[in-house]
Amino acid sequence: MACLTWAGALAGRAAGWPAVAFGVAGLLMVAFGRRGLPLVLASALVAGSLSGVWSMAREEATLNAIVEGGSARIAGVAGDDTRPGRHGFWFLITPTHRFESGSWRPWDGPTLLVDDVETAVPARASVEVSGVIRAGAGRIRGDPYAARVDARTVSVGAVTNPIFSIGNAVRARILSGLDPGDPAAGLLAGFLVGDTRNVPTGWLESLRRSGLTHYVAVSGSNVALFLLLWWFVVGPLGLGARRRAVVGLVGLVLFAVVTRWEPSVLRASVMAGVVLVARAAGLGLTPWVALGGSVVGLLAVSGELAVDVGFQLSVGATVGVMAGAGMFRGRLPSWLATPLGATTAAQVAVAPILLAH
């Protein structure tokens, strides 16, 4: 089911509405036959293709938007924290107002890339940018933008979303305890919250060449460690199974915000959430069902994840871990068999993805 949803999303992004029509035709044929499992599989294909079409439409709307260039003052919401780039730090802004003829006017403009930023900007903060808009759409880290803004000044306001306010505060508290001038502390920040801004470029390149970039990529192991600490915090409250599941889901949402909802974090968090809900409902899920359910849900909501390298690697590595954990069982000592099998299979699973990209 997850594979069909993924295939549908890829087809929808590549072929558009004809892919949806093909899926719907198959769904109708199966529906007339009143077959249970084929009907579910056909529905997954249609859901994936619809998600792929909509995700591509959103991206094309941004890339094809016409933005008037020149000097401008823009107010809006920052999509993420400032990140290092070729021309200093940058972030993406969703505009809400533009200053014209001496007053602020509502402007539901497309996403813009704000470059050459010297001010730290937290995710979802209200910002005001003064600079020069330069025409030219593009992508950065896979996200589309309609034009580039060479920033002169950036004023940072409040974060109105309460979840992001709490998440940003937790993230800032973690980072404030680390020395920004210490490269080792930069690596630790990458491992804890996925912030690699203070890791030397040469170190990141060495990690990439040695295949160890996952060390500073927040994923499943980080989610597991977070939930362990979370249960220590909420354990004394004596919550029942269902309330513990609710509290766990709240914790997962907070963790995703703190670590900036990277695709690998979304995969791991949703998979953990599926398990929590199932346990609270008294349902027994295998890891394969939990992984498949999380992939189907994420791709049905966000079709662009189908072509995201981080999401592909996260799912591939998880499949490898689950498939290889028992590969050497009975042949080697138990303390060696599981980690060796899981590690080997995970590397084999992600190797084709790495080579393809």
Side-chain angles (χ1 to χ4, degrees):
M1 187 172 176
C3 293
L4 282 175
T5 307
W6 206 317
L10 291 174
R13 289 179 62 85
W17 288 107
V20 178
F22 177 80
V24 171
L27 179 61
L28 292 175
M29 291 176 62
V30 173
F32 283 120
R34 296 182 180 179
R35 299 174 182 176
L37 181 59
L39 184 62
V40 173
L41 296 178
S43 299
L45 182 64
V46 173
S49 61
L50 282 171
S51 180
V53 168
W54 289 331
S55 68
M56 202 65 188
R58 290 193 299 267
E59 294 176 13
E60 289 180 349
T62 298
L63 295 171
N64 296 329
I66 298 176
V67 180
E68 182 181 350
S71 297
R73 288 176 62 189
I74 302 168
V77 179
D80 201 347
D81 304 83
T82 46
R83 296 177 179 269
R86 295 181 180 179
H87 307 287
F89 285 86
W90 61 269
F91 67 93
L92 295 175
I93 181 175
T94 302
T96 58
H97 293 79
R98 184 168 182 168
F99 193 81
E100 295 178 334
S101 302
S103 63
W104 286 101
R105 298 184 179 181
W107 182 42
D108 186 19
T111 300
L112 303 175
L113 171 64
V114 182
D115 213 345
D116 198 17
V117 179
E118 298 181 355
T119 305
V121 178
R124 297 300 190 270
S126 300
V127 291
E128 181 183 325
V129 179
S130 296
V132 179
I133 298 178
R134 302 192 184 280
R139 295 177 183 270
I140 189 164
R141 288 176 57 91
D143 295 322
Y145 59 88
R148 181 189 301 269
V149 182
D150 293 337
R152 296 195 189 102
T153 62
V154 176
S155 301
V156 183
V159 178
T160 57
N161 187 310
I163 296 178
F164 278 88
S165 296
I166 298 172
N168 289 350
V170 173
R171 182 182 175 92
R173 180 67 184 87
I174 294 172
L175 296 177
S176 66
L178 302 174
D179 182 4
D182 183 0
L187 281 176
L188 182 58
F191 175 76
L192 292 175
V193 295
D195 188 332
T196 59
R197 288 178 293 179
N198 294 322
V199 180
T201 304
W203 287 31
L204 290 174
E205 180 64 15
S206 297
L207 289 172
R208 187 188 69 82
R209 289 179 176 273
S210 60
L212 295 175
T213 49
H214 59 274
Y215 178 78
V216 291
V218 182
S219 189
S221 60
N222 306 77
V223 172
L225 289 172
F226 169 79
L227 282 178
L228 178 63
L229 296 175
W230 188 250
W231 297 138
F232 273 115
V233 173
V234 302
L237 300 178
L239 301 175
R242 293 185 178 179
R243 281 179 288 181
R244 283 175 66 86
V246 172
V247 172
L249 292 174
V250 172
L252 288 172
V253 172
L254 178 61
F255 179 80
V257 171
V258 171
T259 55
R260 297 309 186 234
W261 58 93
E262 294 288 345
S264 56
V265 173
L266 291 177
R267 193 276 311 161
S269 298
V270 173
M271 188 175 174
V274 168
V275 173
L276 287 175
V277 172
R279 286 183 177 177
L283 301 176
L285 293 184
T286 66
W288 293 103
V289 173
L291 175 62
S294 63
V295 170
V296 169
L298 286 169
L299 289 178
V301 173
S302 182
E304 57 267 22
L305 288 175
V307 295
D308 186 274
V309 182
F311 187 72
Q312 294 172 1
L313 290 173
S314 180
V315 174
T318 305
V319 169
V321 167
M322 294 192 302
M327 187 166 54
F328 297 117
R329 188 173 299 160
R331 305 176 187 177
L332 296 172
S334 58
W335 60 268
L336 178 61
T338 299
L340 179 61
T343 302
T344 304
Q347 193 62 48
V348 171
V350 300
I353 303 173
L354 293 171
L355 291 173
H357 289 288

